[in-house]
Amino acid sequence: MMSLVSAALLTGAGAPTPPPPADDPFVWLEDWTGPRAMQWVEAENEATVAAFQNDPRYAGYYRQALAIASAKDRIAMPMLIHGRVYNFWRDADHPQGVWRYTSEADYATDAPHWTIVLDLDALSKAEGRKWVWKGATVLNPEERLALINLSDGGEDAVTLREFDLETGQFVQGGFDIPKSKQNEGWLDRETILIARDWGEGTMTRSGYPFVVKMLKRGESLSAAKEIYRGEASDQVGTFPLILSDGSGNRAAFLYRGVTFFGNETYLVGTSGVKKLPLPAKSQLQGMVEGQVLIQTSEAWTSGGVTVPSGSLAAVPLKALQSGETLKPQILFAPNARQSIDGVAATKGHVILAINDNVRGRVQVLTPGTAGWTSKPVTLPDNATISIATATDKSDKAYLSVAGFLAPTTLWAMDAADPKPVQVKAMPARFDAAGLVVEQFEATSTDGTKIPYFIVHRKDMKKDGATPTIMTAYGGFEVPMTPSYAAITGKLWLERGNSFVLANIRGGGEFGPAWHEAGLKTKRQIIYDDFAAVAQDIFARKLSSPAKFGIYGGSNGGLLMGVEFNQHPDLWNGVVIQVPLLDMIRYEQIAAGASWVDEYGSVSVPAEKAFLEKISPYANIRKGVHYPTPYIWTTTKDDRVGPQHARKFAARLKDYGIPYHFYEDIAGGHSGDADIEQGARLQAMQMVYFSQQLEGK
């Protein structure tokens, strides 16, 4: 879910915290880093580490996972900056990572020579922190200065430091902005727009900033000039966005997240901030030749043109600046089985990646005097295609292509003449010989067909005896598409087991309507979809409940918690990762208040009744035979928070229901503070599935 911005209190900022419910005996575990809660975590961790890391399979799993994660022959994914190829890289020698660059010509070779500009391991050692890379905001058009986003241990809250890409040094006396959840944009070389925690009354209940200020080089934060203020009641916050193009056009915008999916868009001008007549469910995706690209998640009628939901359209920047009636040009409108997966502007073109029945396609869109034209790009089929990087300084771009059994490849392309050439290929990390990928459809409770992929051995007996793990997400219009999961392949598929990816509603596989079908009180259909896929698999005898495990994280962790409660007979293994589980109090924990648009609110009676019905924490029952779950989270998760996982495990323990709980001290919401942590979490999870589905 959204990573936006602040180290606000877990209960939110600027709003009184309701008293904890009298019937919640484990509310004390919501004390994020309180000594009593952390003592409980330490004891639970000790038991789970013993259960998994003492398993004779663990050492091999960890070694294999770490080797894959740290392999030096991985593809160094590119960032095009100032005529160079930059890359952020982790390996065994650099577990926290280095930011480095090479020339475009050298990058095309098998063994590029890299120049390191920032070493996070060395910086962490020198400063006594565990700095985690959270990206960089580069100043256009010079592309020499950058604001580096550094997280202490993996939190969403970051410190900003100005960095000179030419000297490879932090700028002496430059921008150096202390920790907060914050978003920033370069207005010019001497000025940034920044939204952050400015003090009491400047953060929404969900812990995001709603005040944007203009900060000059050399100024203290207290001297920054306020340019816009949202409302403390906004579900998310307000954030700056700078768009520029290869023709020299440049403009500053603000997003005000009134709700998670509904925002107001503002243009920042010399005379102040002006609200734009854009739909609430839309996003600015770039600009080319003065045309601003807008992706919609609702139908939009303006100037006699109706842009369908899920489309990409363009309007002139000059029209936004002048205030004239907008007449959008539709660049792409999806059919019922399509959705937009990525948009990138080059100097004179737009690269559009789409999902077509959960398979990747790419088009190049070009503005012209007679309107826009579209040209399809030929790339491998039955794969996920992502835009790895593009730049408005040229028409160069790189595309990433991957499938369940096809290792990731990288393709270079000139958008002016789109004939992609493969320039990199990741070696196979597991033996895929004899494995096949099939796509089936299950029928949900309302008759809707729910597609899913299953990877299995071609000679697998259809007797229900194959250990199988399945995942899904089902929320926030996020699509789940085929990818090369090397560690799953090595630790699971190589042993003859199967893997399933379910494309349930709530996600973005088929555009906004697929997502909106499961919003708020309609959410039960998402959980029905997931169960229907499992039942379809069992009907085909591809697996059986005794051999079937499921896993998911964040919103997918909520999905796992619901399925654990509603269908304990369908699974023999459930991994619940960095989850939401207490849906009665989720609005009071970490950034929970920002997700009311997705889940509903206990302040609305009908929504409260539904949340009470599906909340995993509230619906554990004594005397029910549940599969033993594995719940893991991280202390540094300041987005969902570890409180949900802790309370769920504590209630299981109170009811005498077996479980495993593990809380990693670092890693944030994504659990990736360094490569060792990722390998450890993967290995422990695979030991759990081996114990549950393959036998002790």
Side-chain angles (χ1 to χ4, degrees):
M1 288 179 281
M2 278 182 100
S3 99
L4 308 176
V5 211
S6 169
L9 297 174
L10 290 176
T11 52
T17 304
D23 61 347
D24 187 348
F26 304 111
V27 74
W28 58 272
L29 285 168
E30 291 184 18
D31 186 3
W32 188 8
T33 55
R36 183 185 177 195
M38 293 311 296
Q39 287 172 5
W40 181 90
V41 167
E42 186 178 350
E44 292 293 324
N45 281 357
E46 186 176 347
T48 300
V49 166
F52 293 159
Q53 295 189 14
N54 290 340
D55 187 293
R57 291 168 284 207
Y58 174 79
Y61 287 170
Y62 175 76
R63 185 173 60 250
Q64 290 173 324
L66 184 62
I68 289 171
S70 61
K72 293 184 184 295
D73 58 356
R74 304 188 327 272
I75 295 176
M77 284 299 174
M79 299 176 249
L80 289 170
I81 303 172
H82 198 45
R84 297 168 172 167
V85 175
Y86 277 75
N87 164 257
F88 184 74
W89 182 260
R90 285 172 166 175
D91 59 25
D93 299 324
H94 309 96
Q96 286 167 253
V98 294
W99 201 28
R100 59 187 189 168
Y101 73 83
T102 188
S103 68
E104 291 184 37
D106 205 25
Y107 181 72
T109 66
D110 290 337
H113 173 75
W114 293 96
T115 299
I116 294 175
V117 292
L118 181 62
D119 185 331
L120 260 63
D121 296 272
L123 184 68
S124 297
K125 185 177 181 180
E127 298 184 352
R129 301 285 189 89
K130 188 161 190 172
W131 289 123
V132 176
W133 174 262
K134 291 290 184 176
T137 303
V138 179
L139 171 64
N140 272 323
E142 300 92 344
E143 295 190 325
R144 173 170 176 169
L145 299 176
L147 290 169
I148 306 294
N149 286 235
L150 296 173
S151 165
D152 186 2
E155 298 172 343
D156 286 347
V158 295
T159 297
L160 302 179
R161 292 193 196 173
E162 187 177 2
F163 191 82
D164 189 324
L165 296 177
E166 287 300 314
T167 64
Q169 301 290 326
F170 289 108
V171 176
Q172 196 74 24
F175 292 106
D176 188 350
I177 301 172
K179 174 180 169 181
S180 173
K181 284 187 176 178
Q182 52 194 335
N183 273 31
E184 74 287 349
W186 288 97
L187 199 58
D188 56 46
R189 185 183 177 91
E190 305 300 321
T191 317
I192 63 172
L193 298 181
I194 183 167
R196 59 167 282 117
D197 186 349
W198 301 102
E200 186 176 355
T202 64
M203 305 291 282
T204 64
R205 261 190 65 208
S206 52
Y208 293 119
F210 64 87
V211 177
V212 182
K213 296 188 180 185
M214 183 184 297
L215 181 67
K216 294 285 187 180
R217 182 184 302 281
E219 283 185 336
S220 65
L221 288 177
S222 61
K225 177 186 175 184
E226 182 176 321
I227 66 165
Y228 183 79
R229 177 177 290 256
E231 298 287 345
S233 59
D234 291 344
Q235 288 181 15
V236 189
T238 302
F239 310 99
L241 172 70
I242 312 295
L243 292 185
S244 59
D245 68 16
S247 303
N249 299 294
R250 187 175 174 83
F253 300 87
L254 302 177
Y255 275 129
R256 178 189 171 197
V258 181
T259 67
F260 193 90
F261 301 110
N263 54 263
E264 296 174 353
T265 307
Y266 294 82
L267 179 68
V268 181
T270 55
S271 59
V273 174
K274 178 179 70 172
K275 186 178 179 182
L276 297 175
L278 299 177
K281 293 183 178 180
S282 67
Q283 290 184 322
L284 304 183
Q285 294 285 27
M287 183 164 59
V288 61
E289 294 189 0
Q291 298 286 316
V292 177
L293 307 171
I294 302 167
Q295 183 178 338
T296 65
S297 288
E298 63 178 319
W300 171 36
T301 299
S302 180
V305 177
T306 296
V307 181
S309 179
S311 296
L312 183 68
V315 298
L317 175 61
K318 289 182 178 179
L320 294 174
Q321 293 169 330
S322 67
E324 65 189 78
T325 299
L326 301 178
K327 189 174 182 179
Q329 298 179 71
I330 301 171
L331 310 188
F332 171 78
N335 64 33
R337 303 296 275 186
Q338 293 177 326
S339 64
I340 294 174
D341 196 44
V343 180
T346 68
K347 186 172 184 178
H349 305 269
V350 175
I351 302 172
L352 175 66
I354 66 170
N355 290 315
D356 191 335
N357 201 27
V358 206
R359 288 168 165 81
R361 302 282 186 269
V362 169
Q363 304 174 17
V364 170
L365 313 173
T366 305
T369 54
W372 288 73
T373 57
S374 173
K375 182 181 292 186
V377 178
T378 302
L379 284 160
D381 200 0
N382 296 325
T384 295
I385 304 173
S386 305
I387 304 166
T389 188
T391 175
D392 63 12
K393 305 298 181 293
S394 72
D395 286 320
K396 295 177 182 177
Y398 290 94
L399 306 174
S400 171
V401 180
F404 289 115
L405 303 179
T408 304
T409 56
L410 191 71
W411 299 67
M413 185 180 76
D414 184 340
D417 185 21
K419 298 173 183 175
V421 176
Q422 183 177 310
V423 292
K424 304 282 181 185
M426 186 173 77
R429 300 298 187 203
F430 63 92
D431 184 1
L435 292 174
V436 295
V437 179
E438 293 189 280
Q439 187 181 33
F440 296 116
E441 289 185 337
T443 303
S444 193
T445 49
D446 65 351
T448 300
K449 299 297 183 182
I450 310 300
Y452 66 92
F453 294 97
I454 180 166
V455 187
H456 63 84
R457 291 203 61 81
K458 190 174 183 179
D459 59 0
M460 178 189 70
K461 293 181 180 179
K462 294 184 180 180
D463 58 2
T466 302
T468 302
I469 55 177
M470 178 168 79
T471 192
Y473 187 72
F476 293 89
E477 205 176 330
V478 174
M480 296 286 279
T481 58
S483 64
Y484 188 71
I487 294 175
T488 299
K490 186 68 180 176
L491 275 57
W492 189 252
L493 293 174
E494 260 195 12
R495 299 208 311 278
N497 302 324
S498 298
F499 168 79
V500 177
L501 177 66
N503 300 118
I504 61 178
R505 279 172 284 188
E509 289 87 344
F510 302 124
W514 197 248
H515 167 234
E516 291 164 4
L519 279 177
K520 297 186 177 181
T521 58
K522 299 184 289 185
R523 200 163 198 84
Q524 182 59 46
I525 201 65
I526 294 172
Y527 309 131
D528 291 350
D529 288 356
F530 190 83
V533 170
Q535 289 160 338
D536 191 76
I537 289 167
F538 303 154
R540 296 176 190 272
K541 299 190 181 302
L542 301 175
S543 190
S544 60
K547 294 292 185 179
F548 205 74
I550 58 176
Y551 70 95
S554 192
N555 172 73
L558 168 62
L559 169 66
M560 296 304 115
V562 173
E563 298 296 346
F564 173 84
N565 280 335
Q566 293 188 358
H567 299 283
D569 57 320
L570 292 184
W571 351 96
N572 199 29
V574 181
V575 177
I576 304 172
Q577 309 165 335
V578 289
L580 289 96
L581 292 168
D582 185 353
M583 298 308 290
I584 312 305
R585 283 184 57 77
Y586 87 92
E587 294 170 79
Q588 310 302 326
I589 299 172
S594 65
W595 306 318
V596 167
D597 234 13
E598 178 80 13
Y599 300 125
S601 172
V602 294
S603 65
V604 179
E607 294 171 1
K608 179 183 180 182
F610 178 75
L611 289 168
E612 288 174 337
K613 184 178 179 181
I614 61 99
S615 176
Y617 178 61
N619 284 283
I620 304 168
R621 295 289 178 258
K622 294 180 180 178
V624 174
H625 178 70
Y626 293 103
T628 301
Y630 172 33
I631 310 121
W632 69 258
T633 186
T634 76
T635 307
K636 285 284 188 177
D637 182 358
D638 57 347
R639 196 181 316 173
V640 166
Q643 297 90 333
H644 292 271
R646 294 172 182 174
K647 292 172 66 179
F648 189 81
R651 177 153 284 171
L652 290 173
K653 186 174 187 176
D654 185 51
Y655 287 178
I657 300 168
Y659 68 94
H660 301 285
F661 174 90
Y662 180 71
E663 181 174 317
D664 216 303
I665 304 304
H669 187 55
S670 54
D672 64 348
D674 54 47
I675 55 175
E676 286 94 342
Q677 181 188 38
R680 178 172 65 253
L681 291 171
Q682 289 266 18
M684 290 174 68
Q685 178 168 305
M686 208 55 75
V687 166
Y688 165 79
F689 277 134
S690 295
Q691 291 177 352
Q692 293 295 120
L693 308 182
E694 295 178 318
K696 300 291 182 180

